[in-house]
Amino acid sequence: LACSAEQHRTNIGQLYMANKNQKNTFIITSGNLGADPELGWTTRRDTDPKDWKPQRTCKFSVASTEFYNGKELTAWYQCTAYGRKAEAIGHYLRKGSGLFVTGYLTPEPYRKKNGEMTTALNVNVESTIWHKSAKESSNQGPVGDDRPEDLPF
């Protein structure tokens, strides 16, 4: 699940080229988990019904924050991972953990509190890279060798 940034860029490029003719929308985002991931089970239904098998799922939300004209704007992405990715995310990540997510947007119908049916967009996760959240990074000192403060760079 872990790979270097260069390997990840290569993987993203390969995924994009392999799927650029599909109607699904490919998305890449970075942020922090808004809550602990929820592990569950589903039945894989892309094969013959006699071959249906239980599959691990993990649902989680990612908050991606940017600053625009002095204001903080946060976008929330509801994500679902499957199989071994789901198990790893559910086991190792917690609320506030930082990660990059790549995947495809898929519509998911749901019923509002007033009974009206509507559709939300969900990210079906293709890959993730885990990184430290801003909070985790601020708790530690600088990474790497200590440099004198009088250096111009």
Side-chain angles (χ1 to χ4, degrees):
L1 290 173
C3 64
S4 70
E6 182 61 34
Q7 289 171 326
H8 188 67
R9 280 191 294 275
T10 302
N11 293 343
I12 290 171
Q14 290 170 347
L15 280 171
Y16 176 76
M17 294 306 292
N19 296 292
K20 69 180 181 178
N21 294 326
Q22 292 185 1
K23 294 181 181 178
N24 296 333
T25 303
F26 189 74
I27 185 170
I28 303 169
T29 191
S30 174
N32 297 322
L33 292 182
D36 288 346
E38 299 174 15
L39 283 169
W41 292 93
T42 190
T43 303
R44 185 174 174 175
R45 297 180 181 218
D46 60 348
T47 59
D48 188 357
K50 65 181 179 184
D51 296 329
W52 287 357
K53 297 176 184 172
Q55 184 178 25
R56 198 67 152 151
T57 64
C58 182
K59 292 186 179 243
F60 57 96
S61 59
V62 176
S64 182
T65 303
E66 65 178 296
F67 294 90
Y68 181 74
N69 287 340
K71 294 183 181 178
E72 182 177 302
L73 303 172
T74 302
W76 286 90
Y77 299 93
Q78 302 303 313
C79 304
T80 305
Y82 297 93
R84 293 183 64 179
K85 284 180 264 195
E87 291 174 5
I89 291 168
H91 183 73
Y92 292 107
L93 300 182
R94 295 290 170 252
K95 179 180 179 178
S97 298
L99 75 159
F100 291 94
V101 176
T102 63
Y104 294 93
L105 291 176
T106 55
E108 281 194 3
Y110 72 96
R111 189 175 305 277
K112 288 183 176 180
K113 290 181 181 178
N114 64 5
E116 178 185 348
M117 287 299 294
T118 189
T119 303
L121 291 176
N122 185 56
V123 179
N124 279 341
V125 176
E126 286 288 321
S127 66
T128 60
I129 295 180
W130 306 345
H131 63 82
K132 292 182 180 180
S133 67
K135 183 178 179 181
E136 292 169 331
S137 296
S138 66
N139 291 340
Q140 296 180 352
V143 177
D145 56 328
D146 294 328
R147 298 176 187 236
E149 293 182 15
D150 60 343
L151 289 177
F153 53 90

